[in-house]
């Protein structure tokens, strides 16, 4: 198990959108962030609700989480999830 300060940890997450696409983001408070997505207060997902959390990873710092988020966005969330053998949704 990695040894790092949970107070500085940041989640990289993937949500599945109502239009069949994926949204990748980072947040130190995943519960609050998902609530924001679900309520429509996140501009980029307002009209793509309902949203469903399908994957998250905990990273020791915002810098590392952001680098990993960029990596996932560059290859595509669907391809990334498939590489992790996570075939959750079409």
């Amino acid at each position: 198990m990695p040894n790092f300060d949970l107070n500085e940890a940041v989640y990289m997450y993937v949500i599945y959108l109502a239009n069949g696409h994926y949204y990748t983001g980072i947040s130190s408070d995943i519960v609050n962030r998902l609530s924001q997505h679900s309520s429509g207060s996140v501009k980029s997902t307002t009209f793509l609700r309902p949203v469903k959390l399908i994957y998250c990873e905990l990273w020791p710092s915002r810098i590392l989480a952001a680098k990993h988020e960029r990596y996932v966005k560059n290859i595509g969330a669907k391809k990334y999830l498939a590489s992790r053998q996570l075939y959750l949704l079409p």
Side-chain angles (χ1 to χ4, degrees):
M1 181 118 197
N3 189 9
F4 55 84
D5 183 358
L6 289 176
N7 293 322
E8 295 180 20
V10 175
Y11 290 91
M12 188 285 304
Y13 64 93
V14 178
I15 56 177
Y16 186 73
L17 306 172
N19 67 355
H21 290 99
Y22 298 88
Y23 177 93
T24 305
I26 61 172
S27 178
S28 57
D29 185 348
I30 190 78
V31 173
N32 182 53
R33 188 62 173 158
L34 289 174
S35 175
Q36 291 172 341
H37 281 293
S38 294
S39 71
S41 60
V42 177
K43 186 176 180 180
S44 57
T45 59
T46 296
F47 299 105
L48 301 172
R49 295 176 292 147
V51 301
K52 181 178 182 180
L53 176 68
I54 58 170
Y55 185 75
C56 69
E57 296 177 352
L58 189 59
W59 288 85
S61 71
R62 181 165 291 279
I63 291 170
L64 291 174
K67 284 182 181 181
H68 192 65
E69 176 194 24
R70 254 180 271 128
Y71 168 75
V72 172
K73 285 181 175 182
N74 283 337
I75 68 167
K78 189 172 186 177
K79 185 176 179 180
Y80 177 74
L81 294 173
S83 75
R84 310 276 298 174
Q85 297 182 349
L86 298 170
Y87 302 99
L88 302 174
L89 297 168

